[in-house]
Amino acid sequence: MLSIKDLNKTYPNGTKALNNVNLEISKGMFGLLGPNGAGKSSLMRTIATLQLADSGSIEFNGVDVFKTPEELRKVLGYLPQDFGVYPKVSAEMMLNHIAKIKGIQNSSERKAYVADLLNKVNLYKFRKRNLGDYSGGMRQRFGIAQALIGNPKLIIVDEPTAGLDPLERNRFHNLLSELGEDAVVILSTHIVDDVVNLCTNMAVFNEGQVLVQGHPMELTNSL
Ligand code: ADP
Ligand code: ADP
């Protein structure tokens, strides 16, 4: 359970990105729906402890994430909106490298773990291909594989489907739904359909504020 209380954030240039945000998010798929500039990325980055809030608190399973960010990062999988890849490195090499850093020392164990991840995101067939030659959808799925190393319990995915074709989007969505069975998954998006089709709970977010929170069916009927 992720519990966000009275969260505020104003950037040095005076932009108030988070305005008294309160959210309770339990296991499953949660959709954060809002237009560009609403503050979604700011909220995602703050939950991921990549930036501090000015005031308020965030607890994950009762643990204050600002007090012990290293504890949160152990259970966090974060897929930012724009993430860079090394174009001349294969998916397999990259995942292997990260798995090593994350502490899977035994090389045959690591190999099996990476193969399993590649299968999960449907990239096993393309594991030797350089990341620079991946399509947009393949790249997103690689991003998810990267975020899943270490079996996170809190998965944050920021505006993931921009530039994906319908088939790729579908695949990506199926993958996210599976993850929601065992973790808190937060999907930030400006696409109403994505939230309605995928999420068990949602919030409508604008100008740094939560306008409403509830079940997608109930909320979208009143949109
Ligand atoms: P969204 O993800 O919903 O598009 P953002 O969190 O990126 O929203 O942005 C919210 C507001 O904060 C916007 O007005 C944006 O221009 C501003 N903003 C975002 N990041 C920064 C930053 N690092 N410094 C100053 N302003 C920022
Ligand atoms: P997004 O809105 O796509 O999530 P960002 O959060 O990076 O992406 O940026 C959102 C907006 O905030 C953009 O319009 C960007 O120009 C502005 N922004 C981002 N970083 C800064 C910054 N350090 N200072 C001022 N504005 C920023």
Side-chain angles (χ1 to χ4, degrees), residues 11 13 15 17 35-42 45:
Y11 289 111
N13 66 2
T15 306
N36 278 336
K40 301 184 298 298
S41 293
S42 297
R45 286 196 297 265

Side-chain angles (χ1 to χ4, degrees), residues 125-180:
K125 220 171 29 167
F126 306 107
R127 68 192 181 282
K128 305 282 183 202
R129 191 180 287 188
N130 283 344
L131 293 171
D133 299 327
Y134 268 17
S135 72
M138 291 162 79
R139 207 164 138 148
Q140 283 293 0
R141 282 182 278 132
F142 168 77
I144 274 287
Q146 201 173 318
L148 288 182
I149 294 177
N151 306 321
K153 294 294 165 208
L154 173 61
I155 299 167
I156 295 175
V157 184
D158 198 354
E159 294 263 13
T161 48
L164 302 196
D165 68 37
L167 185 70
E168 287 180 327
R169 247 177 84 181
N170 232 330
R171 274 198 178 151
F172 190 72
H173 286 163
N174 291 339
L175 176 61
L176 288 182
S177 299
E178 260 173 53
L179 297 175

Side-chain angles (χ1 to χ4, degrees), residues 34-50:
N36 278 336
K40 301 184 298 298
S41 293
S42 297
L43 183 58
M44 304 291 100
R45 286 196 297 265
T46 310
I47 297 170
T49 70
L50 297 174

Side-chain angles (χ1 to χ4, degrees), residues 204 212 215-223:
V204 180
V212 276
H215 296 286
M217 284 308 174
E218 293 163 18
L219 294 188
T220 49
N221 283 340
S222 62
L223 280 182

Side-chain angles (χ1 to χ4, degrees), residues 74 84 97:
K74 278 185 208 157
H97 176 71

